[in-house]
């Protein structure tokens, strides 16, 4: 039954979605919260290492909110928007205090203060943590707050419902959503005066990743096909330390290196001795040698490329695509802080990482790009430690993190604003919660000042979208083609991983774009193995595949058009950053007539910190050596590209997963 009270729909039950729900409900606006899984199983639960914020202990080291902001911009290679990053880093201490009061069991020092660890891209300890299960602890704390509002009738939860499409009125304003009950397969419309997409990343377009299997990017792609723009879809993060599995890759958190873990390979190519038999003098700690200041804590894109290059040069473990991540030398007390991830490794690999170095390799991990959003700015009063003019987002402004579609917002990982070309470790949890708490108020302010609430709109507006989605289901269910959607997905994932992750060349990406077009044609000729009308996961996956293909096209075309190297976007054919041409946001717009992306560019304002070279103090190699290595790299990536699978000479991990997610540990 429609009501005239303004309502907000939040799609996604991870940290961004829960934080937004709590903030909006507290402001007095009812929230309808949709999630494909129980919110406690949202992908945020997989986050391990920590959440960044300065505190009094960090300040005693000389750290500040401004330095946190500067590190974030430097890490992102200055593709981030600076005013939102200013507010995110300056709100971070308050967010930690709030989480502490909400019951998050942060690790403590012997004096009772919240403990800090180092993380990538910083020379300071500024990462708060709960062992190696920080995301789980934060998610549970916000879930409890959400349940409180649910009990009071301010939040209505729809778990096991899948978002299908945004409802847009004749003026192009978002007025609700169409969603499907994944158990009964019922398709319904839901009215709302604003919709927040908090649907996470798009790892499934690469086949396997460290993201949960529900992170398909389909929800964002459906908004994109409905007219919402994508921002920097080419910016994908590959995490340097993961273990491959048959179903997905599993993260070995940066916290292992933050607590003193070391990455190494044997100095002698093809050395087949057990790692415990290789003396320290015969181990090559290549990150520590090449980056003396940051060592093993260089940002993820740099560590990933170095690991990839070392393996390409033949120094990988057993000559394959593996390096060692070693925590065996750490004191037992330190290892205890890492129990959450060490238990995962032991469970899925079989070795005890407390005694034997872990074998790891990079894997697709995070989407810096996502849905394009806007914000309003205002000058702020500088705080202690600020080193210049302070400009942030206008607090409570209804446009904060709104997409180009009025009334449609994007929070959390699906929002492209905060991380630029590379996200620093432990900034993801912060950006999710910040979006919900800071920008949720703007969403509340929008819906409380609506001239014509969604409750007063005619049923015909919603019925046409219901019919649209029912027609898609009918088409898929009755299709009698010859292609298997799961096989098409596997082929797409392999192409995207090979062409569009660690190294990207025009030749390889153009080839992949052609393959994607073939897959899109074959998608129109598929056949489902299950056409039942109850809990049909086969149908949901096949429907999502069509959306994933469109998102992958935008990612590939954006990567092809960005002819420079910046952060995680590494082009051996354009190895330098080109600020003159590409210090810009890549905007992907969907051309519905041509069923293809259109790429446009928008300047990135830098009102706080001017861009500077991003080197992290790398030690220069000789000209002769550098030329030789560059020639090797230029030749190798042009072949079949990058693969997350270990080579034939390396052990294959995770063959006995039984379909369980690592986060179940």
């Amino acid at each position: 039954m429609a009501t005239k009270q303004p309502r907000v729909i939040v799609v996604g039950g991870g940290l961004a979605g829960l934080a937004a729900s709590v903030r909006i409900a507290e402001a007095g606006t009812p929230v309808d919260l949709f999630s494909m899984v129980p919110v406690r199983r949202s992908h945020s639960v997989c986050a391990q290492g920590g959440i960044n914020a300065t505190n009094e202990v960090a300040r005693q080291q000389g750290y500040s909110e401004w330095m946190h902001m500067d590190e974030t911009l430097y890490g992102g290679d200055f593709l981030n928007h600076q005013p939102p990053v200013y507010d995110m880093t300056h709100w971070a201490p308050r967010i930690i205090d709030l989480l502490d009061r909400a019951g998050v069991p942060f690790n403590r020092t012997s004096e009772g203060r919240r403990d800090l660890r180092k993380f990538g891209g910083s020379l300071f300890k500024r990462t708060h943590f709960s062992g190696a299960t920080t995301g789980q602890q934060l998610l549970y704390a916000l879930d409890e707050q959400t349940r409180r509002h649910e009990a009071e009738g301010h939040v209505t939860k729809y778990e096991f419902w899948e978002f299908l499409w945004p409802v847009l009125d004749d003026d192009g304003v978002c007025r609700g959503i169409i969603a499907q009950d994944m158990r009964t397969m019922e398709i319904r419309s839901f009215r709302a005066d604003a919709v927040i997409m908090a649907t996470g990343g798009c790892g499934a377009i690469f086949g396997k990743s460290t993201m949960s299997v529900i992170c398909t990017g389909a929800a964002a792609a459906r908004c994109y096909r409905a007219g919402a723009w994508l921002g920097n879809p080419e910016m994908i993060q590959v995490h340097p330390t993961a273990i491959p599995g048959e179903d997905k890759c599993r993260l070995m958190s940066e916290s292992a290196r933050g607590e003193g873990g070391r990455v190494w390979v044997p100095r002698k190519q093809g050395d087949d001795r057990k790692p415990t038999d290789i003396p320290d003098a015969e181990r090559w700690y290549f990150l520590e040698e090449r980056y003396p200041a940051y060592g093993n804590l260089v940002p993820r894109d740099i560590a990933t490329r170095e690991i990839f290059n070392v393996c390409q040069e033949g120094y990988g473990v057993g000559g394959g695509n593996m390096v060692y991540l070693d925590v065996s030398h750490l004191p037992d007390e330190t290892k205890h802080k890492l129990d959450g991830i060490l238990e995962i490794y032991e469970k899925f690999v079989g070795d005890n990482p407390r005694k034997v170095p872990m074998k790891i390799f990079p894997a697709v991990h995070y989407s810096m790009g996502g849905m394009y959003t806007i914000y309003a700015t205002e000058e702020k009063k500088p705080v202690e430690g600020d080193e210049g003019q302070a400009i942030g987002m206008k607090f409570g402004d209804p446009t904060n993190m709104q997409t180009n579609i009025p009334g449609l917002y994007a929070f959390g990982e699906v929002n492209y604003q905060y991380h630029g070309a590379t996200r620093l470790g432990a900034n993801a949890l912060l950006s999710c919660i910040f979006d919900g708490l800071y920008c949720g108020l703007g969403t509340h302010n929008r819906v409380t000042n609506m001239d014509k609430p969604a409750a007063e709109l005619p049923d015909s507006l919603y019925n046409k979208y219901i019919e649209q989605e029912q027609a898609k289901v009918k088409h898929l269910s009755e299709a009698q083609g010859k292609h298997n959607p799961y096989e098409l997905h596997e082929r797409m994932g392999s192409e995207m991983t090979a062409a569009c992750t660690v190294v990207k060349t025009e030749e390889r990406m153009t080839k992949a774009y052609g393959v994607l077009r073939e897959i899109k044609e074959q998608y129109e000729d598929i056949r489902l193995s299950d056409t039942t009308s109850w809990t049909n996961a086969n149908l949901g996956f096949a429907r999502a595949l069509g959306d994933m293909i469109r998102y992958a096209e935008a990612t590939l075309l954006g990567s092809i058009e960005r002819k420079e190297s910046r952060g995680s976007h590494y082009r051996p054919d354009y190895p330098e950053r080109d600020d003159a041409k590409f210090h810009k946001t890549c905007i992907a717009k969907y051309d519905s007539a041509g069923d293809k992306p259109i790429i446009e560019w928008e300047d990135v304002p830098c009102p706080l910190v001017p861009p500077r070279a991003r080197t992290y103090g790398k030690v220069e190699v000789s000209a002769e050596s550098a030329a030789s290595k560059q020639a090797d790299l230029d030749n190798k990536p042009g072949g079949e590209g990058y693969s997350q699978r270990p080579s034939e000479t390396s052990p294959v991990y995770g063959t006995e997963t039984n379909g369980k997610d690592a986060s179940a540990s």
Side-chain angles (χ1 to χ4, degrees), residues 8-46:
V8 171
I9 283 177
V10 175
V11 183
L15 285 176
L18 295 184
S21 298
V22 170
R23 184 68 184 89
I24 294 167
E26 281 183 350
T29 297
V31 175
D32 296 317
L33 174 61
F34 290 77
S35 176
M36 294 176 67
V37 295
V39 297
R40 284 193 167 206
R41 294 293 301 160
S42 299
H43 179 59
S44 298
V45 81
C46 296

Short mmCIF file of all heavy atoms in Angstrom, two decimals, residues 8-46:
data_model
loop_
_atom_site.label_atom_id
_atom_site.label_comp_id
_atom_site.label_asym_id
_atom_site.label_seq_id
_atom_site.Cartn_x
_atom_site.Cartn_y
_atom_site.Cartn_z
N VAL A 8 13.11 6.21 1.46
CA VAL A 8 14.37 6.02 0.75
C VAL A 8 14.61 4.53 0.61
O VAL A 8 14.42 3.77 1.57
CB VAL A 8 15.55 6.67 1.50
CG1 VAL A 8 16.88 6.29 0.86
CG2 VAL A 8 15.40 8.19 1.50
N ILE A 9 15.02 4.12 -0.57
CA ILE A 9 15.43 2.74 -0.80
C ILE A 9 16.95 2.68 -0.81
O ILE A 9 17.61 3.50 -1.48
CB ILE A 9 14.85 2.20 -2.13
CG1 ILE A 9 13.37 1.85 -1.96
CG2 ILE A 9 15.64 0.98 -2.60
CD1 ILE A 9 12.70 1.38 -3.22
N VAL A 10 17.50 1.73 -0.07
CA VAL A 10 18.93 1.45 -0.10
C VAL A 10 19.11 0.06 -0.69
O VAL A 10 18.53 -0.91 -0.17
CB VAL A 10 19.54 1.52 1.31
CG1 VAL A 10 21.01 1.11 1.28
CG2 VAL A 10 19.39 2.93 1.90
N VAL A 11 19.88 -0.04 -1.73
CA VAL A 11 20.15 -1.33 -2.38
C VAL A 11 21.56 -1.77 -2.00
O VAL A 11 22.54 -1.15 -2.42
CB VAL A 11 20.01 -1.23 -3.91
CG1 VAL A 11 20.24 -2.61 -4.54
CG2 VAL A 11 18.66 -0.67 -4.31
N GLY A 12 21.66 -2.82 -1.20
CA GLY A 12 22.96 -3.31 -0.75
C GLY A 12 23.05 -3.26 0.75
O GLY A 12 22.82 -2.19 1.35
N GLY A 13 23.39 -4.38 1.39
CA GLY A 13 23.43 -4.46 2.84
C GLY A 13 24.83 -4.53 3.41
O GLY A 13 25.01 -5.02 4.53
N GLY A 14 25.84 -4.03 2.68
CA GLY A 14 27.20 -3.97 3.22
C GLY A 14 27.36 -2.73 4.08
O GLY A 14 26.39 -2.10 4.52
N LEU A 15 28.62 -2.36 4.34
CA LEU A 15 28.87 -1.24 5.25
C LEU A 15 28.26 0.06 4.75
O LEU A 15 27.70 0.83 5.53
CB LEU A 15 30.38 -1.08 5.44
CG LEU A 15 31.05 -2.12 6.34
CD1 LEU A 15 32.56 -1.91 6.36
CD2 LEU A 15 30.49 -2.03 7.76
N ALA A 16 28.36 0.34 3.45
CA ALA A 16 27.80 1.60 2.93
C ALA A 16 26.28 1.60 3.06
O ALA A 16 25.68 2.61 3.47
CB ALA A 16 28.21 1.78 1.46
N GLY A 17 25.66 0.48 2.72
CA GLY A 17 24.20 0.41 2.79
C GLY A 17 23.68 0.50 4.22
O GLY A 17 22.70 1.19 4.50
N LEU A 18 24.35 -0.20 5.14
CA LEU A 18 23.92 -0.16 6.54
C LEU A 18 24.15 1.22 7.15
O LEU A 18 23.30 1.74 7.89
CB LEU A 18 24.64 -1.23 7.35
CG LEU A 18 24.34 -2.69 6.98
CD1 LEU A 18 25.07 -3.64 7.93
CD2 LEU A 18 22.84 -2.97 7.01
N ALA A 19 25.30 1.82 6.87
CA ALA A 19 25.58 3.15 7.42
C ALA A 19 24.56 4.16 6.90
O ALA A 19 24.07 5.01 7.65
CB ALA A 19 27.00 3.58 7.04
N ALA A 20 24.22 4.06 5.62
CA ALA A 20 23.22 4.98 5.05
C ALA A 20 21.85 4.74 5.69
O ALA A 20 21.13 5.69 6.03
CB ALA A 20 23.14 4.78 3.54
N SER A 21 21.49 3.48 5.87
CA SER A 21 20.19 3.16 6.47
C SER A 21 20.08 3.73 7.87
O SER A 21 19.06 4.32 8.24
CB SER A 21 19.99 1.64 6.50
OG SER A 21 19.98 1.10 5.19
N VAL A 22 21.12 3.54 8.66
CA VAL A 22 21.10 4.05 10.03
C VAL A 22 21.00 5.57 10.05
O VAL A 22 20.21 6.16 10.79
CB VAL A 22 22.37 3.57 10.77
CG1 VAL A 22 22.50 4.28 12.12
CG2 VAL A 22 22.33 2.07 10.97
N ARG A 23 21.81 6.22 9.21
CA ARG A 23 21.84 7.69 9.21
C ARG A 23 20.49 8.27 8.77
O ARG A 23 20.00 9.25 9.37
CB ARG A 23 22.94 8.20 8.25
CG ARG A 23 23.09 9.71 8.27
CD ARG A 23 23.64 10.17 9.61
NE ARG A 23 23.71 11.62 9.73
CZ ARG A 23 22.72 12.39 10.19
NH1 ARG A 23 21.57 11.82 10.57
NH2 ARG A 23 22.87 13.69 10.30
N ILE A 24 19.90 7.71 7.75
CA ILE A 24 18.64 8.24 7.23
C ILE A 24 17.49 7.94 8.18
O ILE A 24 16.62 8.78 8.41
CB ILE A 24 18.38 7.66 5.82
CG1 ILE A 24 19.44 8.19 4.85
CG2 ILE A 24 16.98 8.01 5.33
CD1 ILE A 24 19.49 7.47 3.53
N ALA A 25 17.50 6.75 8.76
CA ALA A 25 16.45 6.41 9.73
C ALA A 25 16.54 7.32 10.95
O ALA A 25 15.52 7.76 11.49
CB ALA A 25 16.58 4.94 10.13
N GLU A 26 17.77 7.59 11.41
CA GLU A 26 17.94 8.50 12.55
C GLU A 26 17.41 9.89 12.25
O GLU A 26 16.89 10.58 13.14
CB GLU A 26 19.42 8.59 12.92
CG GLU A 26 19.94 7.42 13.72
CD GLU A 26 21.39 7.59 14.12
OE1 GLU A 26 22.05 8.54 13.60
OE2 GLU A 26 21.88 6.79 14.92
N ALA A 27 17.52 10.30 10.98
CA ALA A 27 17.04 11.63 10.59
C ALA A 27 15.52 11.66 10.48
O ALA A 27 14.94 12.76 10.34
CB ALA A 27 17.68 12.04 9.26
N GLY A 28 14.86 10.50 10.50
CA GLY A 28 13.41 10.48 10.52
C GLY A 28 12.74 10.00 9.25
O GLY A 28 11.51 10.04 9.15
N THR A 29 13.51 9.54 8.27
CA THR A 29 12.94 9.04 7.03
C THR A 29 12.97 7.51 7.01
O THR A 29 14.04 6.92 7.22
CB THR A 29 13.72 9.58 5.81
OG1 THR A 29 13.61 11.00 5.77
CG2 THR A 29 13.17 9.01 4.52
N PRO A 30 11.85 6.87 6.76
CA PRO A 30 11.83 5.40 6.68
C PRO A 30 12.70 4.89 5.53
O PRO A 30 12.79 5.53 4.47
CB PRO A 30 10.36 5.06 6.46
CG PRO A 30 9.60 6.28 6.86
CD PRO A 30 10.50 7.45 6.59
N VAL A 31 13.30 3.73 5.75
CA VAL A 31 14.21 3.14 4.76
C VAL A 31 13.74 1.73 4.42
O VAL A 31 13.39 0.96 5.31
CB VAL A 31 15.65 3.08 5.32
CG1 VAL A 31 16.58 2.34 4.35
CG2 VAL A 31 16.18 4.48 5.59
N ASP A 32 13.77 1.40 3.14
CA ASP A 32 13.58 0.03 2.68
C ASP A 32 14.94 -0.48 2.21
O ASP A 32 15.53 0.08 1.27
CB ASP A 32 12.56 -0.03 1.53
CG ASP A 32 11.17 0.40 1.99
OD1 ASP A 32 10.76 -0.01 3.08
OD2 ASP A 32 10.53 1.17 1.26
N LEU A 33 15.45 -1.50 2.87
CA LEU A 33 16.81 -1.99 2.62
C LEU A 33 16.75 -3.32 1.87
O LEU A 33 16.15 -4.28 2.36
CB LEU A 33 17.54 -2.16 3.96
CG LEU A 33 18.93 -2.81 3.93
CD1 LEU A 33 19.90 -1.99 3.09
CD2 LEU A 33 19.46 -2.99 5.36
N PHE A 34 17.36 -3.37 0.69
CA PHE A 34 17.34 -4.56 -0.16
C PHE A 34 18.73 -5.21 -0.21
O PHE A 34 19.74 -4.52 -0.33
CB PHE A 34 16.89 -4.20 -1.58
CG PHE A 34 15.45 -3.82 -1.68
CD1 PHE A 34 15.02 -2.57 -1.27
CD2 PHE A 34 14.51 -4.71 -2.18
CE1 PHE A 34 13.69 -2.21 -1.34
CE2 PHE A 34 13.18 -4.37 -2.25
CZ PHE A 34 12.76 -3.12 -1.83
N SER A 35 18.75 -6.53 -0.12
CA SER A 35 20.02 -7.24 -0.20
C SER A 35 19.79 -8.62 -0.81
O SER A 35 18.79 -9.28 -0.50
CB SER A 35 20.64 -7.38 1.20
OG SER A 35 21.82 -8.14 1.14
N MET A 36 20.73 -9.06 -1.64
CA MET A 36 20.62 -10.38 -2.25
C MET A 36 20.94 -11.48 -1.25
O MET A 36 20.61 -12.65 -1.49
CB MET A 36 21.56 -10.50 -3.45
CG MET A 36 21.18 -9.59 -4.61
SD MET A 36 22.38 -9.68 -5.96
CE MET A 36 22.15 -11.36 -6.53
N VAL A 37 21.61 -11.12 -0.18
CA VAL A 37 21.99 -12.10 0.84
C VAL A 37 21.64 -11.51 2.20
O VAL A 37 21.39 -10.31 2.32
CB VAL A 37 23.51 -12.41 0.78
CG1 VAL A 37 23.87 -13.08 -0.53
CG2 VAL A 37 24.31 -11.12 0.96
N PRO A 38 21.62 -12.32 3.26
CA PRO A 38 21.49 -11.73 4.59
C PRO A 38 22.58 -10.68 4.79
O PRO A 38 23.74 -10.91 4.40
CB PRO A 38 21.68 -12.92 5.53
CG PRO A 38 21.28 -14.11 4.71
CD PRO A 38 21.69 -13.80 3.31
N VAL A 39 22.23 -9.54 5.35
CA VAL A 39 23.19 -8.43 5.36
C VAL A 39 24.51 -8.83 6.03
O VAL A 39 25.57 -8.32 5.68
CB VAL A 39 22.60 -7.17 6.02
CG1 VAL A 39 21.42 -6.67 5.22
CG2 VAL A 39 22.20 -7.44 7.47
N ARG A 40 24.46 -9.74 6.97
CA ARG A 40 25.70 -10.16 7.63
C ARG A 40 26.60 -10.99 6.72
O ARG A 40 27.73 -11.33 7.10
CB ARG A 40 25.39 -10.96 8.90
CG ARG A 40 24.94 -10.09 10.06
CD ARG A 40 24.95 -10.86 11.36
NE ARG A 40 24.83 -9.98 12.51
CZ ARG A 40 25.29 -10.26 13.72
NH1 ARG A 40 25.89 -11.41 13.94
NH2 ARG A 40 25.14 -9.42 14.71
N ARG A 41 26.08 -11.37 5.55
CA ARG A 41 26.91 -12.09 4.57
C ARG A 41 27.31 -11.19 3.40
O ARG A 41 27.81 -11.67 2.38
CB ARG A 41 26.14 -13.31 4.04
CG ARG A 41 25.90 -14.38 5.09
CD ARG A 41 27.17 -15.04 5.56
NE ARG A 41 27.87 -15.68 4.46
CZ ARG A 41 29.15 -16.00 4.49
NH1 ARG A 41 29.86 -15.72 5.56
NH2 ARG A 41 29.73 -16.57 3.46
N SER A 42 27.08 -9.89 3.53
CA SER A 42 27.49 -8.97 2.47
C SER A 42 29.01 -9.00 2.34
O SER A 42 29.73 -9.38 3.27
CB SER A 42 27.02 -7.55 2.81
OG SER A 42 25.61 -7.52 2.90
N HIS A 43 29.51 -8.54 1.19
CA HIS A 43 30.94 -8.70 0.91
C HIS A 43 31.82 -7.94 1.90
O HIS A 43 32.99 -8.31 2.10
CB HIS A 43 31.23 -8.24 -0.52
CG HIS A 43 32.69 -8.35 -0.86
ND1 HIS A 43 33.38 -9.54 -0.82
CD2 HIS A 43 33.60 -7.40 -1.22
CE1 HIS A 43 34.65 -9.34 -1.16
NE2 HIS A 43 34.81 -8.04 -1.38
N SER A 44 31.29 -6.90 2.55
CA SER A 44 32.10 -6.17 3.53
C SER A 44 32.64 -7.09 4.61
O SER A 44 33.67 -6.80 5.23
CB SER A 44 31.25 -5.07 4.19
OG SER A 44 30.79 -4.13 3.26
N VAL A 45 31.97 -8.20 4.84
CA VAL A 45 32.41 -9.11 5.89
C VAL A 45 33.77 -9.72 5.56
O VAL A 45 34.48 -10.20 6.45
CB VAL A 45 31.35 -10.23 6.11
CG1 VAL A 45 31.47 -11.33 5.06
CG2 VAL A 45 31.45 -10.81 7.52
N CYS A 46 34.16 -9.69 4.29
CA CYS A 46 35.44 -10.29 3.88
C CYS A 46 36.63 -9.37 4.13
O CYS A 46 37.77 -9.81 4.04
CB CYS A 46 35.39 -10.65 2.40
SG CYS A 46 34.18 -11.93 1.99
#
